Amino acid sequence: MQKKSKRAMLAFVLMMVMILSACGGGNKGGEETAKPADSKQTAAQDGKSDTSNEVKLKMIFLGPKPVDYEQVYAEINKKLKQKINATIEAEFLDWSDWAQKYPLKLAANEDFDLIYSANWAGYSDQALKGGFLELTDQLISTYMPMTWKAMPKESWEQAKVNGKLYMVPSNKGGFVEKLILYREDLRKKYGLPEINSPETFAEYIKAIAKNEPGIIPFTPEAGDWKLHNLDRILVKQKNDWNMPDLDLPLAFKIADGKGQIFNIYETPEFKELLAYYKDLADNNAWSKNVLNSKNDHMQDFKDGKTAAVTQNLDTLGAKMAEIRRDKPEFEAALADLTPNSKKSVAVSTQNGTSIHATSKNPERALMFIDLVQNDKELHDLIMQGIAGTHYEPVGEDKFKSTPQNANYAGYSKWSFDSPLNRVNVTFPQEAADLAKVWEGKVFHYPLETFVFNNANVKTEVANVSNVMLRYAIPLEYGVIPDIDNGLADLNKQMKAAGIDKIQAEMQKQIDEFLAKR
């Protein structure tokens, strides 16, 4: 009887412990609830998001820290505190060295919650390495109800890697084509032809080099770009090719329904491009320090230090508006060097936000993204800055920038693009007209949403990337005097690095992708 009594008492005590534990489960601090479960599917209590504990989120952005960062983010944090009992702290990886620092942040498993992500910034690779948290339908619908409702289903599907989602895409499309921003006043000054081809662009560059000793004719963007924006114009766009991974020299013709992959370094088109580049280099088209430059090419253009830069339509249109406001003596203009090429719209992975796999506060991080994409007040703050300081609101969907606008610009806030974006009333008409022309030239093709999984060739991809930096970039900038020998050496090194194995793996995945359509 005594043993039975003890067992009954023990059972009663255990039952009370379980009841008390269940009752107290909702009072855990932010640090505890933040631990991501193995399934990564932390459910909100009773279908509601618990914000009783204040949390501090940290996000990694690309680009320079804005001058007015503290001022703007102080206002953002006031609103976040009210709405989700959280604040945000940002860290910025400058454009000159983001490509080296970005993967190191993830590899070192540093303590942060959110990070800008994009296909051109290695999104798929980092997702497969385990750097990003898998975002399930349950997580998104629970903690991002506005985004869950507003985001097109296709955008979620495009952002999946091997059937799993690791990014909240921006909710606004755009063109991926690159353009030239140049000085129309200088073109007119020397009676040069309209810039609408690689040949007329070369004429312009050479004329500036010959006649304007205080101006660098062309300045590329700084950073660890294996295939920079001018390459994308003169190889990818000019020939209607697409490259599944911009860190690899592998492409296919977009009109090729079979998606046959080839190495661009082995094509006659690339050899012609090297001759084009060598001619420009011999005519002092860019700085002698081009391989090591960390200059902000956009700022150099605005300061009159360079006569041409490259970027996409939206970025260059905004820069034109800024220059026309602050430097009206510069006649900034756009040039499409491939006007007859097929145009492509960005897939959803062009800009997005990912949650760090080891974030202590994944739920609140998702709530933050939900707000800045869909809450008008917070969206305006993070995208434009402070009304009356950095911009003047014009109605509900337009704005006029102020001279202080430049103090809150230049970094990767585009991951929060959405239908709430305001349009600059001074956005150049010619840029808007060009966008309308391009809309009629958009070409959709079967491999538009193909994502390459490099898991089986990680070593080879790393080796090829090193070869591209060491051999291809100097060759393109005319540092190697003999093109034929330089190209032969490049291809020899590519073979040794394993490019053929990567090409075979990519082709295998493309064949499988097309077979499922």
Side-chain angles (χ1 to χ4, degrees):
M1 286 293 293
Q2 191 174 12
K3 288 184 178 179
K4 287 183 180 179
S5 176
K6 286 183 179 180
R7 281 198 295 270
M9 180 62 71
L10 179 60
F12 174 78
V13 170
L14 289 173
M15 180 178 70
M16 291 304 295
V17 168
M18 291 174 68
I19 291 172
L20 290 171
S21 296
C23 292
N27 296 322
K28 292 180 181 178
E31 253 55 78
E32 270 185 61
T33 56
K35 287 182 182 177
D38 290 342
S39 65
K40 305 296 186 188
Q41 298 195 31
T42 311
Q45 292 184 344
D46 302 322
K48 297 179 181 178
S49 303
D50 178 15
T51 59
S52 59
N53 298 288
E54 181 180 354
V55 300
K56 185 175 183 179
L57 302 169
K58 182 176 180 180
M59 179 163 180
I60 309 295
F61 287 102
L62 306 188
K65 183 178 180 180
V67 175
D68 289 348
Y69 161 75
E70 282 81 7
Q71 184 181 356
V72 175
Y73 272 71
E75 292 301 312
I76 290 171
N77 283 331
K78 285 180 187 177
K79 306 300 180 185
L80 288 175
K81 184 75 168 64
Q82 294 168 4
K83 294 174 185 286
I84 59 171
N85 199 16
T87 55
I88 187 82
E89 175 191 353
E91 180 180 346
F92 300 87
L93 306 182
D94 199 87
W95 292 120
S96 62
D97 54 12
W98 74 268
Q100 295 91 5
K101 291 183 176 180
Y102 187 96
L104 293 178
K105 290 278 179 188
L106 292 158
N109 200 23
E110 291 190 14
D111 185 15
F112 61 89
D113 301 281
L114 306 104
I115 187 167
Y116 173 84
S117 55
N119 49 20
W120 53 267
Y123 162 63
S124 298
D125 186 32
Q126 294 302 331
L128 292 167
K129 287 179 179 177
F132 302 145
L133 182 71
E134 181 191 343
L135 304 179
T136 63
D137 288 355
Q138 180 184 348
L139 278 173
I140 298 169
S141 60
T142 301
Y143 298 105
M144 305 186 70
M146 291 184 287
T147 306
W148 180 251
K149 181 179 179 181
M151 187 80 70
K153 183 181 178 181
E154 295 76 15
S155 296
W156 296 122
E157 290 301 315
Q158 288 178 359
K160 288 182 178 179
V161 179
N162 282 359
K164 296 181 179 181
L165 184 72
Y166 300 93
M167 167 200 284
V168 179
S170 68
N171 194 8
K172 186 176 179 293
F175 292 101
V176 300
E177 272 69 33
K178 307 300 180 183
L179 292 159
I180 300 294
L181 181 64
Y182 73 96
R183 292 272 300 276
E184 175 70 359
D185 53 310
L186 295 178
R187 185 191 73 81
K188 291 176 180 176
K189 181 178 178 181
Y190 298 109
L192 299 169
E194 177 187 358
I195 302 174
N196 57 11
S197 67
E199 293 74 24
T200 51
F201 179 60
E203 283 188 62
Y204 170 79
I205 292 297
K206 292 177 184 179
I208 300 302
K210 181 179 179 181
N211 299 295
E212 298 285 343
I215 301 177
I216 294 173
F218 172 75
T219 300
E221 66 277 41
D224 188 13
W225 295 104
K226 280 94 176 172
L227 288 155
H228 49 77
N229 282 337
L230 199 55
D231 283 340
R232 297 178 204 189
I233 293 173
L234 300 173
V235 171
K236 183 173 173 283
Q237 291 171 210
K238 180 184 176 184
N239 299 298
D240 287 330
W241 295 348
N242 189 41
M243 306 175 74
D245 186 331
L246 290 169
D247 282 340
L248 294 170
L250 299 174
F252 60 85
K253 297 177 181 178
I254 61 175
D256 176 12
K258 294 183 179 179
Q260 293 299 307
I261 289 292
F262 53 86
N263 181 350
I264 66 169
Y265 292 159
E266 295 178 339
T267 65
E269 289 88 349
F270 185 72
K271 188 170 183 178
E272 289 174 11
L273 178 62
L274 290 180
Y276 178 87
Y277 281 155
K278 187 66 169 65
D279 179 52
L280 288 181
D282 290 345
N283 283 278
N284 302 308
W286 38 72
S287 165
K288 299 295 184 185
N289 192 41
V290 65
L291 295 180
N292 301 308
S293 175
K294 294 186 180 296
N295 285 18
D296 181 336
H297 65 309
M298 289 293 184
Q299 190 59 45
D300 279 359
F301 185 88
K302 185 178 179 181
D303 292 342
K305 296 178 181 178
T306 190
V309 292
T310 58
Q311 248 304 335
N312 59 46
L313 180 59
D314 287 344
T315 300
L316 295 184
K319 183 58 66 174
M320 283 177 69
E322 182 184 319
I323 291 169
R324 287 177 177 179
R325 183 195 66 217
D326 300 338
K327 294 285 185 72
E329 66 274 21
F330 294 168
E331 292 184 45
L334 295 172
D336 182 0
L337 303 188
T338 58
N340 298 318
S341 67
K342 296 178 174 65
K343 306 304 178 185
S344 303
V345 290
V347 294
S348 67
T349 53
Q350 183 72 13
N351 293 296
T353 309
S354 294
I355 309 297
H356 194 196
T358 56
S359 167
K360 296 183 178 69
N361 298 286
E363 302 89 352
R364 211 73 63 92
L366 290 169
M367 293 164 71
F368 163 75
I369 303 171
D370 197 38
L371 282 172
V372 293
Q373 270 202 13
N374 301 283
D375 180 280
K376 179 66 174 173
E377 186 178 37
L378 269 164
H379 187 76
D380 278 346
L381 265 173
I382 203 160
M383 299 304 291
Q384 308 297 342
I386 299 171
T389 301
H390 302 102
Y391 77 103
E392 296 291 345
V394 179
E396 286 296 308
D397 58 358
K398 294 182 175 62
F399 76 97
K400 182 179 180 180
S401 60
T402 68
Q404 203 167 327
N405 179 267
N407 289 347
Y408 183 67
Y411 76 99
S412 59
K413 53 191 176 182
W414 331 297
S415 57
F416 306 127
D417 279 342
S418 81
L420 294 181
N421 279 20
R422 290 179 179 270
V423 177
N424 195 332
V425 294
T426 61
F427 191 78
Q429 187 59 46
E430 57 265 51
D433 291 344
L434 191 58
K436 289 181 181 178
V437 171
W438 283 6
E439 285 171 6
K441 295 184 176 182
V442 171
F443 183 77
H444 294 289
Y445 49 97
L447 289 169
E448 199 168 20
T449 60
F450 170 74
V451 176
F452 176 53
N453 179 354
N454 67 17
N456 294 332
V457 285
K458 285 183 180 296
T459 301
E460 289 79 11
V461 167
N463 292 340
V464 163
S465 292
N466 289 333
V467 170
M468 293 173 76
L469 288 174
R470 185 176 176 185
Y471 293 89
I473 296 300
L475 190 58
E476 290 190 19
Y477 284 122
V479 175
I480 309 299
D482 189 316
I483 293 175
D484 290 334
N485 286 339
L487 184 56
D489 197 20
L490 168 63
N491 281 319
K492 178 183 176 182
Q493 296 296 330
M494 292 295 290
K495 294 285 186 185
I499 189 64
D500 291 340
K501 184 177 178 180
I502 300 172
Q503 183 173 338
E505 176 66 22
M506 186 178 286
Q507 189 67 63
K508 174 174 173 283
Q509 292 181 28
I510 283 177
D511 294 343
E512 291 171 350
F513 180 89
L514 291 174
K516 293 176 183 177
R517 289 181 61 84

